[in-house]
Amino acid sequence: MESWEPSSSNYSNISNGQVFRNKLFKDKTPIETKQLQFFKIYDEYNAVLGGTNMVDLCWNGTLWHYGDIFDFARERASVKHLDTGICDGAYLSNKKFVCVGDSGAVQIYEIKFGEMQQLSYACQHDDSILTVSVFSNKRNIVTGGMDCCLKVWDVEDLIATYSYHSAHLDVITSTDVKPNSNSIFVSASLDSESLVWDFRLQEPASCIFRKNDCFLTAISWNKKVDHLIAIGTNNGSIALIDTRQTKTPLYESVEYDRSIHKLLFNPYSERKDQLACCSDNETVKVFDISREMFTVYEDSSHSDFVRGLTWFQSDLYSCAWDARVIKHVLDK
């Protein structure tokens, strides 16, 4: 932390903490961001990593953009420091991405001449945004978070075209869009419900899963089988839902002894049955949903909570609060 001593004549009754908090973000010494929150790969020449410094008096975020995916050393990346924490992000195109965080703002960045430049910024949520998902047209996104509100955005003008206040009765933890759809998405919440939404309809939401004895913490739509959805809970269980009949899950089992944080289906057709998962521990797992959630891969190389997962060319990448990015090569 920067050493800074106020003049006794001006700050005799002000604590060091108050002085530090009142300093402008640009005047504070940047602190290396350790707690990595999300990681996305667009292609072999574009990857973005986001993290939040959670050990300072004021939390702030950092974005790193990589021109290739062969080495994720921080000194190889272009860097952008933000004055708010980062929770999630997603690619819009090979040179454009969106990130969201604890300020309640949506920010669009573009890579120009190897540097990140902010294209637009809008703050319309009343609390932290925890999740963002991109529709197939790459023009619309959906966000949700701690204000229990879901918003569908037009990223060209960065305006919320649909706002569903009190969409859930508690914090919205996760969203995902239906593959090849520009209007349908799902949400999960601490109110124990998962809803499927279609903003073209007068009554846009319907419940596809409810589990009264726990919270819903993660959701993922299978990118190759558009009627399959995986939902994770705070008791470590994973439910597989068929949207064509939602009375009972196709399969449900407890896979972790901690809360599920993120679920992500493999987007490649030949491995569409693989479901990656991380929870509030150091372990990354991959399940085969066609074999009753059989564990086909497990790794505990991280030394702190795993937060981000991304697939690329059948390999899985993870990032964690230990400041590391790890590539997981799965056997065929």
Side-chain angles (χ1 to χ4, degrees):
M1 183 181 295
E2 180 182 7
S3 175
W4 192 78
E5 183 176 349
S7 167
S8 59
S9 61
N10 294 327
Y11 300 99
S12 58
N13 296 319
I14 301 178
S15 69
N16 288 338
Q18 287 175 299
V19 172
F20 185 88
R21 286 190 291 270
N22 289 332
K23 292 180 69 176
L24 296 175
F25 174 72
K26 65 182 180 65
D27 296 327
K28 296 179 183 179
T29 302
I31 296 177
E32 181 181 358
T33 301
K34 180 180 179 183
Q35 289 78 22
L36 301 180
Q37 294 285 81
F38 81 89
F39 184 48
K40 302 293 181 180
I41 297 176
Y42 186 86
D43 55 30
E44 59 183 330
Y45 304 110
N46 291 282
V48 63
L49 178 66
T52 298
N53 159 40
M54 301 179 184
V55 298
D56 204 352
L57 285 176
C58 296
W59 288 13
N60 50 69
T62 305
L63 295 168
W64 296 269
H65 178 266
Y66 293 89
D68 61 59
I69 60 170
F70 305 109
D71 183 1
F72 297 108
R74 301 293 186 274
E75 57 269 17
R76 298 186 64 254
S78 59
V79 181
K80 187 75 172 181
H81 294 290
L82 308 182
D83 60 357
T84 62
I86 296 172
C87 297
D88 198 9
Y91 266 103
L92 300 170
S93 67
N94 65 329
K95 298 297 181 182
K96 189 183 297 184
F97 64 91
V98 55
C99 76
V100 297
D102 58 21
S103 67
V106 176
Q107 302 181 62
I108 309 294
Y109 286 89
E110 186 174 24
I111 308 301
K112 287 187 177 180
F113 309 109
E115 299 295 328
M116 285 175 277
Q117 299 181 17
Q118 187 184 84
L119 293 181
S120 50
Y121 173 103
C123 187
Q124 295 187 22
H125 278 273
D126 294 328
D127 209 328
S128 300
I129 305 175
L130 302 180
T131 175
V132 59
S133 300
V134 181
F135 289 95
S136 61
N137 61 9
K138 305 299 183 181
R139 175 162 181 159
N140 297 110
I141 62 173
V142 57
T143 58
M146 296 184 70
D147 60 356
C148 309
C149 177
L150 286 165
K151 290 182 180 288
V152 177
W153 302 75
D154 182 323
V155 298
E156 295 297 321
D157 301 315
L158 200 56
I159 58 173
T161 52
Y162 296 90
S163 292
Y164 301 108
H165 299 281
S166 300
H168 284 272
L169 300 178
D170 208 330
V171 171
I172 297 167
T173 54
S174 185
T175 59
D176 201 6
V177 300
K178 183 178 182 179
N180 303 315
S181 173
N182 296 325
S183 63
I184 301 173
F185 64 96
V186 286
S187 59
S189 169
L190 298 185
D191 67 4
S192 304
E193 279 195 339
S194 176
L195 306 177
V196 61
W197 298 78
D198 187 341
F199 59 73
R200 299 169 301 179
L201 304 179
Q202 185 174 358
E203 297 182 2
S206 59
C207 182
I208 58 170
F209 182 66
R210 180 172 180 83
K211 195 169 179 63
N212 294 322
D213 58 345
C214 62
F215 306 136
L216 306 187
T217 55
I219 197 163
S220 180
W221 209 315
N222 192 305
K223 302 307 178 188
K224 298 302 179 182
V225 186
D226 65 7
H227 60 268
L228 291 182
I229 295 171
I231 300 173
T233 73
N234 72 312
N235 69 1
S237 67
I238 299 173
L240 188 64
I241 307 298
D242 186 337
T243 60
R244 298 170 301 181
Q245 59 87 19
T246 59
K247 291 183 178 180
T248 58
L250 293 176
Y251 186 79
E252 186 174 6
S253 63
V254 175
E255 303 295 343
Y256 280 91
D257 60 359
R258 300 282 187 90
S259 175
I260 303 295
H261 179 74
K262 191 173 184 64
L263 296 169
L264 190 64
F265 277 106
N266 194 324
Y268 295 91
S269 297
E270 63 274 17
R271 298 192 176 190
K272 63 182 183 299
D273 293 327
Q274 291 181 348
L275 176 66
C277 179
C278 64
S279 71
D280 288 348
N281 64 13
E282 305 84 8
T283 304
V284 174
K285 291 185 180 182
V286 179
F287 305 102
D288 187 337
I289 64 169
S290 68
R291 293 189 283 168
E292 295 187 337
M293 301 296 285
F294 177 76
T295 302
V296 296
Y297 178 85
E298 183 172 351
D299 181 84
S300 298
S301 299
H302 284 292
S303 58
D304 208 334
F305 287 3
V306 182
R307 301 288 88 176
L309 299 172
T310 189
W311 290 98
F312 183 71
Q313 293 184 349
S314 296
D315 295 323
L316 179 67
Y317 294 76
S318 61
C319 70
W321 283 356
D322 62 3
R324 299 170 63 202
V325 173
I326 295 178
K327 178 181 178 181
H328 308 272
V329 180
L330 281 67
D331 295 331
K332 292 185 179 180

